Amino acid sequence: MENTMKVLELLEELEDIVDEATGLPLTGKIMLDAEEIFQIVREIRLALPDDVQQAKWIRDERDRILSEAKTEYERIIREAKKQADYLVETDDITIRATKLAAEIKQDAETHARVMRMRTYDYVDKILYDMQGQMDELSMKYFGEMYSNLEATFAQVNDILAANREEMKNLAYKTQNEVESGTFAESIEE
């Protein structure tokens, strides 16, 4: 929660910097201190490591679960082979042992497949939930920031357009005064 508040404060600071930036006449652009902006972006990145750590934990957890499933599968196969070797004393025992070994192997493979599928489902659910949280955070924080920046740029653009229109009107008025001869009179006054 503290990191979230820190990110919000940094985004507000970024908005203030854009709002207070000096405009460049007739260009629709503003001047910003790049180092100040980069510093705020670095602070935002530092305030978000919990989400990154959680994603890493999910990946590590998935790898651990898959490793455990593989180890269990290999153990069951080893057990089946040991049991099959032990039962190879007579033909009848050999036939039964071969059949039992095949059943055990089939059971082990089925069990391992089921474990893998459950693991995939579990990891997929965690990743899906995390993806939803990241989308929500992105929309909540960055969507609002971009909307505010877009609104600010639109306001600056409207002001610049109005200034240009005013300059055009003054130029038009001056041109009319020159053509009508009243320009010289207005300068003398």
Side-chain angles (χ1 to χ4, degrees), residues 35-51:
E35 185 56 38
E36 185 177 11
I37 298 296
F38 284 136
Q39 179 61 34
I40 292 172
V41 170
R42 283 190 289 270
E43 289 181 34
I44 289 173
R45 282 192 182 131
L46 291 175
L48 294 176
D50 291 343
D51 295 333

Side-chain angles (χ1 to χ4, degrees), residues 81-185:
K81 285 181 182 177
K82 284 181 189 176
Q83 201 169 15
D85 289 344
Y86 177 72
L87 296 175
V88 180
E89 293 177 12
T90 66
D91 289 338
D92 186 39
I93 294 175
T94 302
I95 292 170
R96 286 188 293 155
T98 302
K99 185 178 178 183
L100 182 60
E103 289 174 3
I104 291 172
K105 181 180 178 184
Q106 181 65 38
D107 288 346
E109 289 173 352
T110 300
H111 179 71
R113 193 169 31 256
V114 167
M115 289 297 290
R116 279 196 309 265
M117 292 306 294
R118 285 181 181 169
T119 300
Y120 296 151
D121 287 343
Y122 172 74
V123 170
D124 182 57
K125 182 187 179 319
I126 290 174
L127 291 173
Y128 179 80
D129 291 345
M130 183 61 155
Q131 185 180 19
Q133 290 174 356
M134 292 305 290
D135 287 344
E136 186 178 310
L137 286 172
S138 177
M139 288 302 295
K140 184 175 182 180
Y141 298 116
F142 293 109
E144 184 178 320
M145 178 181 76
Y146 289 127
S147 294
N148 290 338
L149 282 173
E150 186 176 29
T152 300
F153 288 143
Q155 288 174 347
V156 169
N157 194 35
D158 290 345
I159 291 169
L160 291 173
N163 288 343
R164 286 185 67 212
E165 190 61 34
E166 184 178 340
M167 292 303 293
K168 286 178 186 177
N169 289 337
L170 288 173
Y172 179 75
K173 184 178 175 184
T174 302
Q175 181 66 29
N176 285 341
E177 288 176 355
V178 167
E179 289 173 2
S180 67
T182 59
F183 182 71
E185 293 171 6

Side-chain angles (χ1 to χ4, degrees), residues 37-80:
I37 298 296
F38 284 136
Q39 179 61 34
I40 292 172
V41 170
R42 283 190 289 270
E43 289 181 34
I44 289 173
R45 282 192 182 131
L46 291 175
L48 294 176
D50 291 343
D51 295 333
V52 174
Q53 289 296 335
Q54 187 176 9
K56 182 183 180 310
W57 175 84
I58 290 170
R59 189 191 70 221
D60 293 344
E61 186 69 11
R62 180 202 63 195
D63 292 345
R64 182 189 64 78
I65 291 170
L66 288 174
S67 176
E68 286 177 6
K70 182 179 178 190
T71 302
E72 179 68 13
Y73 167 78
E74 291 171 351
R75 184 191 66 77
I76 291 172
I77 295 296
R78 279 193 311 273
E79 290 289 324

